[in-house]
Amino acid sequence: MADAALFEFLHTEMVAELWAHHSDPGPGGQKMSLCVLEGMGFRVGQALGERLPQETLAFREELDILKFLCKDLWVAVFQKQMDSLRTNHQGTYVLQDNSFPLLIRMASGLQYLEEAPKFLAFTCGLLRGALSTLGIKSLVTASVASLPTCKFQVVIQKT
Amino acid sequence: MADAALFEFLHTEMVAELWAHHSDPGPGGQKMSLCVLEGMGFRVGQALGERLPQETLAFREELDILKFLCKDLWVAVFQKQMDSLRTNHQGTYVLQDNSFPLLIRMASGLQYLEEAPKFLAFTCGLLRGALSTLGIKSLVTASVASLPTCKFQVVIQKT
């Protein structure tokens, strides 16, 4: 399965490249790089959303769409399913991956936690982009309490 | 097969991003972006080279290694084999792909030919990186005479 590795290697290079050449060392520059990564993820997510099985278009329930992301999208990108999905039934969803592949190669330890955001921005965009293709506007953020577990919070934007 | 598309989408975004934010409009800036892409490809190629089947390490003949790239590496990255491999038996190899996946979505027509190099730099690096992991120093360049056919020329650097 060189494919799966290919995506991970390319993602790693992309993060490194954006960090090396793109950002001022200050928080402004880092925020800029995170936005760029999120934007790239968004467009890839949009494009992937269009390629995923057409049955998805038959989805009407929000929860079904979120389940679809946790299963089909995650398998397509990470070769595994999301570990859990919770919702407050008011448009907020928490998707938890207990061993998020893009964090799994990072050494674990509290001192590395601050490095985590740059490995999450692309995937936040990916989720937001796939949702957008499926007709749902959202805000997606990610948080890590202990590596390599990661929670993605999706807040649906009602129009 | 969302996987294959994932790599292509990500590659497209990477090229667009480097072109949008990274380069001066002049030839100097473009050359810089090509170098960055080639470097990213090189490191991904190195990493992939380490993941590909260990039997490869048993290769000793240069030609066998090139055949391996045309078959196993190409399948791992592009889900197809290279279409032909020629050599002058003096360290120069020409690898031809008659429908190179990263060019296939481009409109064809002479006016688009000048856009081609930015879609080839990453893959030149990928080949050079994989060869490097297999113990071979090389120079890799690419040329396009008619889209989406592409030739990669590998010149082995004797030490």
Side-chain angles (χ1 to χ4, degrees):
Chain A
M1 276 296 287
D3 269 9
L6 182 65
F7 167 68
E8 286 182 34
F9 294 148
L10 192 52
H11 179 271
T12 304
E13 282 302 314
M14 214 168 60
V15 171
E17 173 55 32
L18 282 171
W19 245 250
H21 293 276
H22 218 258
S23 43
D24 306 326
Q30 294 187 359
K31 202 170 169 186
M32 166 76 176
S33 291
L34 289 179
C35 282
V36 170
L37 279 170
E38 206 272 348
M40 293 172 83
F42 179 77
R43 290 182 295 278
V44 172
Q46 276 188 314
L48 270 187
E50 284 165 14
R51 299 254 312 188
L52 288 166
Q54 291 294 319
E55 306 91 78
T56 62
L57 298 174
F59 290 161
R60 281 294 164 263
E61 294 290 325
E62 208 175 82
L63 182 59
D64 287 332
I65 295 182
L66 269 292
K67 283 182 186 169
F68 167 77
L69 296 186
C70 290
K71 205 179 145 198
D72 298 63
L73 180 75
W74 227 242
V75 168
V77 178
F78 299 114
Q79 290 76 47
K80 61 166 299 209
Q81 294 189 24
M82 194 76 83
D83 292 296
S84 75
L85 167 64
R86 277 176 295 177
T87 176
N88 66 354
H89 298 287
Q90 296 183 0
T92 298
Y93 298 84
V94 176
L95 294 65
Q96 180 166 327
D97 189 328
N98 295 333
S99 54
F100 182 55
L102 300 182
L103 291 177
I104 225 162
R105 280 165 217 250
M106 279 179 73
S108 54
L110 280 176
Q111 71 271 38
Y112 299 106
L113 271 185
E114 66 185 47
E115 296 289 315
K118 60 184 175 189
F119 296 102
L120 303 174
F122 179 86
T123 308
C124 287
L126 195 79
L127 285 167
R128 194 169 67 83
L131 281 167
S132 160
T133 294
L134 297 168
I136 293 182
K137 268 193 163 180
S138 63
L139 287 178
V140 181
T141 53
S143 62
V144 177
S146 70
L147 291 164
T149 297
C150 180
K151 285 182 189 179
F152 296 91
Q153 177 169 289
V154 177
V155 180
I156 309 295
Q157 306 293 290
K158 302 291 178 194
T159 46
Chain B
M1 275 297 287
D3 269 9
L6 181 65
F7 167 68
E8 286 181 33
F9 294 147
L10 192 52
H11 179 270
T12 305
E13 282 301 315
M14 214 168 59
V15 171
E17 173 55 33
L18 282 171
W19 245 250
H21 293 276
H22 219 258
S23 43
D24 306 326
Q30 292 188 3
K31 201 168 170 188
M32 165 76 175
S33 291
L34 289 179
C35 281
V36 170
L37 279 170
E38 206 273 346
M40 293 171 83
F42 179 78
R43 289 182 295 278
V44 172
Q46 277 188 314
L48 270 188
E50 284 164 15
R51 298 253 313 188
L52 287 166
Q54 290 294 320
E55 305 91 78
T56 61
L57 298 175
F59 291 160
R60 283 292 163 265
E61 293 292 324
E62 208 174 83
L63 182 60
D64 288 331
I65 295 182
L66 269 292
K67 283 182 185 169
F68 167 78
L69 296 186
C70 290
K71 203 178 146 199
D72 297 63
L73 181 76
W74 227 242
V75 168
V77 177
F78 299 114
Q79 290 77 48
K80 61 166 299 209
Q81 294 188 24
M82 194 75 83
D83 291 297
S84 74
L85 167 64
R86 277 176 296 175
T87 176
N88 67 354
H89 298 289
Q90 294 183 0
T92 298
Y93 297 84
V94 176
L95 294 65
Q96 180 166 326
D97 189 326
N98 295 332
S99 54
F100 183 54
L102 300 181
L103 291 176
I104 224 161
R105 281 165 216 251
M106 278 179 75
S108 54
L110 279 177
Q111 72 271 37
Y112 299 106
L113 271 185
E114 65 185 48
E115 295 289 314
K118 61 184 176 190
F119 295 103
L120 303 174
F122 179 86
T123 307
C124 287
L126 195 78
L127 285 168
R128 194 169 66 84
L131 280 168
S132 158
T133 294
L134 297 168
I136 294 181
K137 268 194 163 179
S138 64
L139 287 177
V140 182
T141 53
S143 62
V144 177
S146 71
L147 290 163
T149 297
C150 181
K151 284 183 190 178
F152 296 92
Q153 177 170 289
V154 177
V155 180
I156 309 296
Q157 307 292 290
K158 303 289 180 196
T159 44

